[in-house]
Amino acid sequence: MSNYILSCCSTVDISHEHLKSRDISYACYSFFIDGKQYADDLGQTISYEQFYTMMLAGADTKTSQINVDEFVKYFDSLLSTGKDLLHVAMSSGLSGTFNSARIAAEELRDKYPNQKIYVVDSLAASSGYGLIIDKLADLRDGGMDIDSLYNWIEKNKLNMHHWFFSTDLTFYVKGGRVSKVSGWFGTVLNICPLLNVDVNGKLIPRQKIRGKRAVIQKIVEKMKEHAMFGKDYDGKCYISHSACPDDANEVAELVKAGFSKIDGEVLINSIGTTIGSHSGPGTVALFFWGDKRVD
């Protein structure tokens, strides 16, 4: 049994059962559907299928990040057990929760002067963030102490690759991330943008690919280009998607065909309600360990 607690936020986009089985605690973001607030509790209160069905039917969705007071209460409940704490936050390039968590940790250090409290900016999101927290659980279970674990993730977090594509620009336009004109031309020309998370943890458009089949091929080519040990990659691989399981399965089959040494099955998760509120249905993301992100 470890003498510290490993913690994250619900935007890791892996299941509640997965986190529970790995003994990882998590704090919940919030989201709103037509003005009613819910906890982003990894699909327990509202299923992902129900959530995306409501979005497609025209429901208005908004999100709320975890504030300082909420983090103080959450961290206090963990630290009161007498254990140290390592909390990994969603990328500061996409959310303000890292800063809120950092401030909350500072407020609690006087109350718990003999316990270690580490807060890490993952520079990651969705199941890439989830793949990081799962790796930390592996290292913890292998006997790594909290100081070594903190140093390891700070050194290696930029080796986590995130590649996304979307076949539906509707909600990118609605959220202001794509102009109406670009969205219209993208739809007419069947453009599927390929994006990744950069060195600052921000989501950056990289290429405009025409056709879903072409972008599915391209996202797997990016893994071949960047994965640690290339086609001999032997780490874990996660995929997340927003209400497009067939596309996610097609990516998974190409990954399995191209990387025979992957550790375990390619795990397919749903993009959760927080990130899904912004992406909408039709997004697929691929995550793996690779060369260090430099731009």
Side-chain angles (χ1 to χ4, degrees):
M1 180 70 70
S2 173
N3 63 350
Y4 61 90
I5 295 169
L6 185 58
S7 169
C8 62
C9 299
S10 57
T11 44
V12 289
D13 289 352
I14 50 180
S15 71
H16 168 80
E17 292 75 20
H18 187 137
L19 292 174
K20 184 177 180 180
S21 72
R22 299 309 313 269
D23 192 22
I24 299 168
S25 299
Y26 68 94
C28 294
Y29 277 62
S30 297
F31 67 99
F32 299 80
I33 300 179
D34 290 334
K36 185 176 180 180
Q37 184 174 6
Y38 301 88
D40 176 7
D41 56 3
L42 304 175
Q44 295 182 91
T45 300
I46 293 181
S47 71
Y48 297 128
E49 181 180 5
Q50 182 182 1
F51 172 73
Y52 287 113
T53 297
M54 293 173 75
M55 284 192 81
L56 286 169
D60 180 55
T61 60
K62 296 180 181 179
T63 60
S64 177
Q65 64 186 32
I66 306 166
N67 63 37
V68 174
D69 290 341
E70 290 169 328
F71 267 124
V72 168
K73 183 178 180 180
Y74 170 68
F75 287 164
D76 188 56
S77 70
L78 301 178
L79 292 164
S80 64
T81 64
K83 292 188 175 184
D84 297 333
L85 172 64
L86 191 156
H87 178 79
V88 183
M90 181 177 168
S91 173
S92 62
L94 299 170
S95 169
T97 51
F98 165 68
N99 194 48
S100 295
R102 182 186 57 79
I103 293 170
E106 287 298 325
E107 290 187 11
L108 287 168
R109 284 197 169 93
D110 287 340
K111 184 175 181 179
Y112 298 98
N114 297 318
Q115 288 169 246
K116 297 173 182 177
I117 310 172
Y118 287 121
V119 177
V120 175
D121 180 358
S122 69
L123 298 176
S126 192
S127 297
Y129 176 21
L131 189 47
I132 284 176
I133 202 74
D134 189 75
K135 176 65 175 181
L136 295 182
D138 286 341
L139 295 172
R140 175 204 61 194
D141 294 349
M144 188 175 285
D145 62 67
I146 190 170
D147 299 308
S148 299
L149 195 65
Y150 171 75
N151 290 329
W152 187 93
I153 185 55
E154 288 292 0
K155 180 179 179 181
N156 290 281
K157 60 189 178 183
L158 287 177
N159 291 96
M160 175 52 57
H161 278 257
H162 312 60
W163 289 92
F164 300 75
F165 69 82
S166 181
T167 58
D168 186 347
L169 299 179
T170 303
F171 291 91
Y172 289 85
V173 173
K174 184 177 179 181
R177 286 171 295 280
V178 173
S179 71
K180 289 183 179 179
V181 173
S182 295
W184 183 84
F185 276 109
T187 300
V188 170
L189 298 175
N190 194 23
I191 297 296
C192 301
L194 181 66
L195 312 92
N196 79 338
V197 172
D198 72 0
V199 69
N200 297 310
K202 296 182 178 181
L203 191 59
I204 304 295
R206 297 298 185 181
Q207 290 180 258
K208 296 178 181 178
I209 310 295
R210 191 165 185 175
K212 181 168 67 175
R213 185 56 53 83
V215 79
I216 286 174
Q217 294 284 342
K218 179 61 70 173
I219 202 172
V220 178
E221 286 176 18
K222 290 297 183 183
M223 184 170 177
K224 293 176 181 177
E225 179 182 348
H226 293 286
M228 192 175 297
F229 309 126
K231 293 182 179 180
D232 289 327
Y233 177 68
D234 59 0
K236 294 179 182 179
C237 176
Y238 286 179
I239 292 170
S240 62
H241 71 93
S242 53
C244 47
D246 291 344
D247 295 342
N249 282 319
E250 188 168 346
V251 173
E253 289 303 316
L254 287 175
V255 169
K256 286 187 282 187
F259 300 88
S260 61
K261 298 181 180 179
I262 278 180
D263 182 4
E265 290 295 316
V266 177
L267 184 64
I268 299 177
N269 304 290
S270 287
I271 292 175
T273 51
T274 297
I275 295 174
S277 291
H278 301 282
S279 71
T283 295
V284 176
L286 175 64
F287 310 97
F288 55 90
W289 294 98
D291 52 11
K292 193 171 291 291
R293 293 167 5 217
V294 295
D295 63 359

